[in-house]
Amino acid sequence: MPQHQVDVLKGAAHRKHPGVTNMKTLRLPEELQRAALSIVLGAQINGVPDQARSLTQFLWSRKRPVEASTLRQRAIGLERMVLQRAMERNEDIDNSHVKSKVLSELRKTTYHWTALRASHSCWGDTLKEMVCVDSSGPMNILAERLLNDDGEKAQPHIKQVHFRQFLPVSPQVQFDLVVGAFSLSELASKKEREETLVTLWRKTSSYLSQEMKTLDSRTPSVFAPCPHEMTCPKLAQHPPAPCNFNQHYHPLPLPGGPVRGRETFSYMILSRSDPSKAEPARDWVRVVAPVLRRPRHVHCHTCGLDGQLHHMVVTRAKHGRDLYRCARSSDWGDQLPIIQQEEADPE
């Protein structure tokens, strides 16, 4: 017999069920594309496309900055290895040579190191104020040029946008939504990252989109993507990696550029709303891997309300037509109505 059915569609088509969050291939708005192309093509720099590709590869390959304590431990281990090799070969031990070898190895293995448009596309002119913070002055100037269609006198496409070079610290003025996108990896140490998260959380009145932990007396609750408030089960796997999701997009139409791109990202949205006043939570799980559609059944890898990863095989006979069609129409990152625990095999 099919599993007991719950009305999750609410009149919607299966391919548009309430758990669908995955967006189709995105494209920049026409006015933003026009401004960006004007800036890029008008730049008096040779080899911009090649330099852009090199920068992209560098940004993808870099890692989070190494803490000083970790760096010292790594240096001590390398020093012991160099000394041991020298003794095995009966070589004279030269301290300057040992130091040089250690520094050389460290350099090989150690890396030092917008939500604006998305918000406007969702809420439009109902947004009263948007503050963008970037420590780089030239990046702020570039962002303003993009908003003004690359013209100093043109009206900005999105109004009430303010640019700042330093993060406001005072908690007196708060924002409904605070987003820290691709920012923590730019900070030099764990201490700086934690201090920045404290400041962002103090500026938050409703939702903070970022990876963080409890930082003050106002306890946050997980809004997305996790359906639970426990430790991420993927961090217990080897190699440890949190949930990540894909988004396809059309890049700028530059000569020789790709027609379609894909961005992989992780995110965390915390809410500071009062749990007692919140709407009843839906018993839905998150799809955390590509959905495998097979004849008469669908394989879904999900993260459940119990904080565990599960492999679910959804069929029409066992789970009913609606749930089967919903699963077949879902993609990586979407949500699905919960399936009885005994029918979902833990991974």
Side-chain angles (χ1 to χ4, degrees), residues 167-179:
L167 191 63
V169 177
S170 172
Q172 293 181 353
V173 178
Q174 294 187 331
F175 296 86
D176 295 314
L177 175 64
V178 177
V179 180

Side-chain angles (χ1 to χ4, degrees), residues 211-264:
E211 178 187 357
M212 62 174 292
K213 57 186 179 182
T214 303
L215 298 168
D216 63 17
S217 58
R218 293 171 292 182
T219 304
S221 58
V222 177
F223 181 77
C226 313
H228 58 84
E229 303 215 13
M230 291 165 268
T231 302
C232 177
K234 283 203 166 189
L235 293 178
Q237 296 182 333
H238 184 77
C243 287
N244 55 79
F245 307 94
N246 283 331
Q247 178 59 54
H248 292 277
Y249 64 94
H250 292 292
L252 285 175
L254 294 170
V259 177
R260 195 165 181 250
R262 184 181 69 176
E263 184 82 7
T264 301

Side-chain angles (χ1 to χ4, degrees), residues 265-276:
F265 62 94
S266 294
Y267 73 100
M268 172 71 76
I269 300 179
L270 299 182
S271 170
R272 86 171 0 159
S273 58
D274 187 349
S276 63

Side-chain angles (χ1 to χ4, degrees), residues 12-28:
H14 293 95
R15 67 180 183 278
K16 296 181 180 179
H17 67 81
V20 172
T21 58
N22 191 287
M23 294 182 288
K24 304 306 179 185
T25 305
L26 299 178
R27 189 188 303 272
L28 288 174

Side-chain angles (χ1 to χ4, degrees), residues 119-139:
S119 299
H120 187 264
S121 65
C122 289
W123 298 296
D125 293 334
T126 62
L127 295 172
K128 301 303 180 186
E129 182 182 21
M130 288 172 279
V131 178
C132 302
V133 181
D134 196 304
S135 60
S136 171
M139 289 301 294

